[in-house]
Amino acid sequence: QVTLVESGGGSVQAGGSLRLSCVVSFRTRSPKYYAWFRQAPGKEREGLASISRERGHTYHIDSVKGRFTISQDTSKNAVYLQMNNLNVDDTGVYTCAASSYLGALSTVGGAYDYWGQGVQVTVSP
């Protein structure tokens, strides 16, 4: 069983920054891959970035590349999403996810079997 708890959401003005954290708890084997997802109001959930727990390799979708950075601290079993230069289109619920079986980086929701509860990020003009 794996549990994920996010924190760090909130309200920020456009151009500002936020850092989301996701603390991961597991009983036996650690997940292999993590990802951050976003669901904007009225839109489908979108995968933003993925990271390999073992090697630390990362992938970011084009729309956040250069602004968002996924990272981890394996000693703390934590995954982070640093978000810079936020704009109003970044508003949404951000959720971290973990996969126990993936073999490659992915931002496809169906590839992840454990999910956090999500945190709200609101960016005002």
Side-chain angles (χ1 to χ4, degrees), residues 2 4 21 64 67 70 77 121 124:
V2 177
L4 304 99
S21 299
V64 304
R67 298 191 302 125
I70 189 171
N77 289 322
V121 171
S124 57

Side-chain angles (χ1 to χ4, degrees), residues 8-30:
S11 298
V12 64
Q13 287 191 318
S17 298
L18 281 175
R19 187 194 193 208
L20 304 182
S21 299
C22 175
V23 175
V24 185
S25 301
F26 53 91
R27 290 187 178 179
T28 53
R29 299 183 66 179
S30 65

Side-chain angles (χ1 to χ4, degrees), residues 66-78:
R67 298 191 302 125
F68 292 10
T69 303
I70 189 171
S71 63
Q72 64 181 350
D73 184 337
T74 54
S75 68
K76 297 180 180 179
N77 289 322

Side-chain angles (χ1 to χ4, degrees), residues 9-123:
S11 298
V12 64
Q13 287 191 318
S17 298
L18 281 175
R19 187 194 193 208
L20 304 182
S21 299
C22 175
V23 175
V24 185
S25 301
F26 53 91
R27 290 187 178 179
T28 53
R29 299 183 66 179
S30 65
K32 295 182 177 181
Y33 289 84
Y34 300 108
W36 282 98
F37 291 80
R38 173 178 67 201
Q39 185 160 23
K43 294 187 177 181
E44 296 284 323
R45 183 177 60 197
E46 176 183 37
L48 304 175
S50 176
I51 188 166
S52 162
R53 186 181 191 279
E54 181 178 354
R55 295 179 180 270
H57 295 167
T58 63
Y59 169 78
H60 300 77
I61 63 171
D62 286 345
S63 63
V64 304
K65 198 175 295 182
R67 298 191 302 125
F68 292 10
T69 303
I70 189 171
S71 63
Q72 64 181 350
D73 184 337
T74 54
S75 68
K76 297 180 180 179
N77 289 322
V79 184
Y80 307 101
L81 186 67
Q82 176 67 44
M83 305 186 294
N84 298 326
N85 194 22
L86 286 160
N87 58 62
V88 293
D89 292 333
D90 294 317
T91 293
V93 176
Y94 286 70
T95 307
C96 68
S99 174
S100 56
Y101 64 88
L102 262 179
L105 295 166
S106 174
T107 52
V108 175
Y112 292 85
D113 43 355
Y114 299 101
W115 295 81
Q117 81 285 357
V119 292
Q120 176 69 41
V121 171
T122 302
V123 185

